[in-house]
Amino acid sequence: MEIPVIVAIGVAVFLGAAGGLMTPIGPWYRNLKKPSLQPPNWLFGPAWTIILGLAAWSAITAWYAADTPAEHTRVLGLFATNAVCHFLWSPLFFRARRPDWALIEVVFLWVSLALLVVLLWPISNFASLLIVPYLLWVSFAAWLNSAIVKLNRPFDVTAT
C-alpha cells in the first residue's frame, strides 16, 4: 500500500474515532430541545463512516490525478484544512457545550467542503463528486445545529 493511501485512510479513521470520542451522548445533550427532523443518534456513526470513507477515496483519487507539484499542494492543503475544520466541531458542540460556537465553526467546515468540490473539479471530477455527500450532510448538520441554537439559547460557558 502506498503512502498517500495509508495517510488518507489513517486521517479518515482518526477523524472518525476522534469525532466519536468527542461526542458524548449524555444528559446535557439528551435534554437539549431538538428539531423534529433530528435523525436518531444511531444514524450519525454510520453516516460519518461512509462520508469519511468517501472523503478518503476522494483524497486518494485527487492525489493520483494531480499532475503538478502545485496541484499536489492544493490537494494536500484543501484536505488538511477540511480535516482541521472537521475535527473542531464536536469538541465545541459537545465538550464545551457551546452549540452557538459550533454553529460559527460549521461555516468554516462548510466552506472547506465547498472549496474541495470547486477546486478539485479541474484535477478530478470524480474526486470532486465524492465530496458532495459530505457537503450535503454538513449542510443538513449546520441546519440542525442552527435549530438547536434557536431552540435552546442562551448558552453559558459556566453552566454545567
Side-chain angles (χ1 to χ4, degrees):
M1 196 175 299
E2 295 187 26
I3 291 176
V5 175
I6 294 168
V7 170
I9 292 170
V11 169
V13 168
F14 170 78
L15 289 174
L21 292 171
M22 295 305 247
T23 308
I25 305 298
W28 174 82
Y29 178 74
R30 282 191 205 97
N31 290 328
L32 288 174
K33 295 175 198 153
K34 298 175 193 76
S36 60
L37 291 178
Q38 174 81 19
N41 291 336
W42 64 262
L43 181 63
F44 288 92
W48 280 118
T49 300
I50 292 166
I51 287 164
L52 291 172
L54 291 173
W57 188 7
S58 174
I60 294 163
T61 301
W63 182 263
Y64 286 114
D67 291 327
T68 66
E71 286 182 340
H72 280 117
T73 299
R74 180 184 311 163
V75 169
L76 188 59
L78 288 166
F79 278 100
T81 299
N82 172 256
V84 170
C85 291
H86 179 97
F87 178 80
L88 291 174
W89 187 86
S90 287
L92 289 172
F93 190 100
F94 288 98
R95 295 293 177 170
R97 296 181 178 177
R98 293 302 303 252
D100 51 345
W101 292 354
L103 184 58
I104 295 166
E105 196 282 333
V106 81
V107 172
F108 293 95
L109 175 56
W110 192 93
V111 168
S112 77
L113 291 164
L115 287 171
L116 274 165
V117 170
V118 170
L119 297 177
L120 288 180
W121 188 262
I123 297 170
S124 168
N125 303 148
F126 183 63
S128 176
L129 292 173
L130 286 170
I131 297 299
V132 171
Y134 189 177
L135 179 62
L136 293 173
W137 183 254
V138 167
S139 297
F140 178 63
W143 175 82
L144 286 174
N145 191 160
S146 175
I148 288 171
V149 168
K150 288 175 188 171
L151 291 169
N152 294 279
R153 68 174 80 166
F155 290 94
D156 181 7
V157 75
T158 60
T160 55

